[in-house]
């Protein structure tokens, strides 16, 4: 009964905040560029959900924002930007490694300069997913709409620097796509709508097909080096343990059923990406699988990398808080670098660094 009430409360809060959202003024970004003469790629483009949204949700009508404290506590400016973590995201770390820029700005930021646009932006929106119903639940930017914004981006840049230079950037840039978790955690497993229509295997195939359609769309628009993040061990997310464990207070172990869904999905995704590469390689296409599962699972279940707290987030109790439930009134841990999770869903910057280090060689081979 307690878990059922928790689920109902989350859902009602979700609906309530769609109407009564915070009108917090979004903070401007400082897009510091690395002074590197020869970046490894001309630009980086990001698509997906809260794992790669640097603040696009600041500019749309949704309760899923991270532009208030304590989010951004350890960001270089020590101010919230809209990133759903305490500091930098993995895409920021990748951009720095490639020498493109020090952080990836949100495309919807009206203060972006031409140079900001030319060196890459993120179109990601927290709460989004490949299933069209998923972004509708949260009133955020669907993946097909993110692709439309990319087309708009191309038009804007063509007007500034011409078609040839724009397509040189587009064709040689690195693309990162990170989404899918919300389709399962927020949508399929928590709400009843999709479960009435789809069995779990058929839903996994449905999401997969939507994901592959999106990737084909990126290719059609000129993207060639496309890295795709798999699903994390969903059964290890603190919020999943809280909502679905038989005893959420005393048993904080990963729930393998949810993680097994991620493993199965990831295996199929990697095979499909290999097939897409085979079909496009003669035209320069590369579709690369990024393993987000192993490093996160090793950090949590294997106690690897030296984290002290792996079962709850740094914000509040760390069991349920995320988005507006992790707010300026929430208590936070003193040292987030010792935590795998910042809130009940999202990793800390330290965990994103672990992921980045684990995928660096894949990034190198992609570019």
């Amino acid at each position: 009964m307690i878990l059922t009430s928790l689920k109902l409360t989350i859902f009602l809060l979700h609906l309530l905040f769609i109407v009564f959202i915070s009108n917090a003024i979004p903070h401007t970004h400082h897009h510091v560029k690395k002074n590197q003469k020869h970046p490894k790629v001309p630009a980086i483009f990001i698509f997906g959900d809260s794992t790669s949204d640097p603040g696009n949700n600041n500019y749309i009508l949704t309760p899923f924002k991270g532009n208030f404290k304590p989010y951004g506590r350890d960001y270089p400016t020590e101010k919230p930007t809209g990133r759903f973590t305490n500091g930098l995201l993995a895409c920021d770390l990748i951009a720095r490694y490639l020498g493109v820029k020090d952080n990836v700005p949100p495309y919807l930021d009206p203060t972006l300069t031409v140079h900001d646009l030319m060196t890459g932006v993120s179109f990601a929106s927290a709460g989004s997913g490949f299933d069209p119903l998923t972004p509708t639940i949260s009133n955020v930017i669907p993946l097909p709409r993110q692709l439309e914004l990319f087309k708009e981006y191309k038009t804007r840049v063509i007007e500034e620097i011409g078609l040839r230079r724009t397509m040189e950037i587009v064709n040689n840039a690195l693309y990162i796509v990170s989404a899918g978790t919300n389709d399962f955690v927020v949508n399929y497993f928590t709400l009843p709508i999709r479960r009435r229509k789809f069995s779990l295997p058929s839903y996994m195939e449905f999401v997969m097909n939507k994901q592959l359609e999106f990737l084909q769309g990126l290719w059609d628009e000129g993207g060639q080096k496309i890295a795709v993040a798999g699903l994390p061990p969903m059964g290890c997310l603190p919020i999943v343990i809280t909502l679905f464990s038989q005893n959420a207070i005393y048993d904080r172990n990963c729930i393998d059923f949810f993680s097994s869904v991620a493993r199965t999905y990831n295996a199929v995704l990697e095979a499909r990406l290999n097939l897409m590469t085979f079909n496009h390689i003669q035209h320069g296409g590369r579709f690369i699988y990024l393993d987000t599962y192993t490093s996160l699972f090793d950090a949590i279940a294997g106690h690897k990398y030296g984290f002290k707290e792996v079962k709850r987030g740094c914000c509040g109790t760390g069991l349920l808080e995320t988005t507006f439930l992790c707010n300026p009134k929430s208590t936070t841990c003193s040292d987030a670098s010792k935590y795998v999770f910042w809130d009940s869903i999202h990793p800390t910057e330290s965990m994103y660094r672990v992921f980045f280090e684990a995928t660096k060689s894949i990034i190198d081979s992609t570019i």
Side-chain angles (χ1 to χ4, degrees):
M1 286 295 294
I2 293 174
L3 290 182
T4 302
S5 299
L6 267 174
K7 294 177 189 177
L8 182 60
T9 301
I10 294 294
F11 185 56
L12 291 176
L13 277 172
H14 197 152
L15 294 178
L16 180 65
F17 273 77
I18 290 289
V19 181
F20 299 103
I21 68 163
S22 168
N23 289 318
I25 299 174
H27 294 274
T28 57
H29 301 262
H30 300 277
H31 311 300
V32 184
K33 284 81 184 175
K34 280 195 175 294
N35 186 23
Q36 184 168 329
K37 294 181 180 179
H38 303 290
K40 298 181 180 181
V41 292
I44 183 170
F45 297 109
I46 313 294
F47 302 83
D49 56 22
S50 57
T51 56
S52 50
D53 179 3
N56 281 307
N57 279 16
N58 297 353
Y59 305 97
I60 62 175
L61 201 65
T62 177
F64 285 85
K65 299 178 188 288
N67 61 342
F68 46 81
K69 295 180 179 179
Y71 289 105
R73 186 185 76 179
D74 303 308
Y75 191 73
T77 61
E78 298 183 359
K79 294 180 180 179
T81 60
R83 288 167 172 80
F84 284 80
T85 186
N86 60 306
L88 298 170
L89 298 171
C91 57
D92 298 312
L93 300 172
I94 293 171
R96 291 180 173 208
Y97 173 67
L98 297 177
V100 178
K101 58 210 314 174
D102 274 359
N103 59 62
V104 183
Y107 175 68
L108 296 184
D109 183 346
T111 69
L112 295 183
T113 66
V114 174
H115 190 266
D116 287 327
L117 292 172
M118 289 172 60
T119 51
V121 291
S122 173
F123 301 90
S125 177
S128 196
F130 296 107
D131 179 348
L133 177 60
T134 304
T136 303
I137 295 168
S138 309
N139 198 38
V140 296
I141 307 171
L143 266 296
R145 175 58 184 157
Q146 293 180 31
L147 189 58
E148 290 298 319
L149 290 174
F150 179 59
K151 295 177 185 178
E152 176 188 291
Y153 160 91
K154 288 167 59 180
T155 300
R156 288 175 63 182
V157 178
I158 287 170
E159 290 175 354
E160 295 288 344
I161 65 172
L163 177 61
R164 183 184 62 80
R165 287 183 64 196
T166 299
M167 291 312 297
E168 284 179 357
I169 293 172
V170 167
N171 293 152
N172 292 290
L174 175 66
Y175 295 76
I176 298 177
V177 180
S178 177
T181 303
N182 293 320
D183 293 314
F184 292 94
V185 172
V186 176
N187 190 342
Y188 189 82
F189 291 125
T190 304
L191 303 179
I193 300 170
R194 287 309 196 198
R195 291 201 305 274
R196 292 191 185 122
K197 182 177 180 181
F198 294 98
S199 67
L200 181 54
S202 64
Y203 185 71
M204 293 167 72
E205 185 65 18
F206 171 75
V207 174
M208 180 73 65
N209 288 334
K210 292 295 183 183
Q211 183 167 9
L212 297 178
E213 286 175 17
F214 176 80
L215 296 175
Q216 183 62 46
L218 266 187
W219 167 263
D220 292 341
E221 290 303 314
Q224 295 186 351
K225 304 178 183 71
I226 303 173
V228 184
L231 296 177
M234 297 184 291
C236 296
L237 301 180
I239 196 169
V240 171
I241 296 172
T242 299
L243 292 177
F244 297 102
S245 173
Q246 294 298 314
N247 191 329
I249 301 300
Y250 297 105
D251 182 5
R252 300 298 301 173
N253 292 318
C254 298
I255 305 174
D256 189 63
F257 168 73
F258 298 99
S259 296
S260 69
V261 172
R263 291 195 299 271
T264 302
Y265 188 92
N266 289 343
V268 177
L269 175 62
E270 187 171 11
R272 299 281 182 91
L273 293 176
N274 288 338
L275 181 59
M276 290 188 76
T277 296
F278 178 79
N279 292 333
H280 294 86
I281 192 71
Q282 61 181 342
H283 301 293
R286 300 201 68 186
F287 297 82
I288 305 299
Y289 172 73
L290 295 180
D291 179 9
T292 64
Y293 186 102
T294 301
S295 56
L296 190 57
F297 186 79
D298 286 349
I300 297 168
H303 297 283
K304 199 174 177 181
Y305 309 116
F307 291 102
K308 302 299 183 184
E309 179 55 74
V310 302
K311 298 180 179 181
R312 62 181 69 209
C314 171
C315 184
T317 65
L319 306 180
L320 198 62
E321 293 89 344
T322 188
T323 64
F324 48 80
L325 296 178
C326 175
N327 56 58
K329 294 184 178 181
S330 302
T331 58
T332 56
C333 64
S334 59
D335 185 358
S337 69
K338 296 178 179 178
Y339 282 64
V340 168
F341 293 99
W342 170 246
D343 59 20
S344 66
I345 297 177
H346 305 102
T348 57
E349 178 184 312
S350 295
M351 187 61 228
Y352 278 129
R353 287 186 181 279
V354 169
F355 167 70
F356 161 66
E357 290 294 336
T359 57
K360 188 188 295 183
S361 61
I362 303 298
I363 298 295
D364 284 339
S365 67
T366 305
I367 61 176

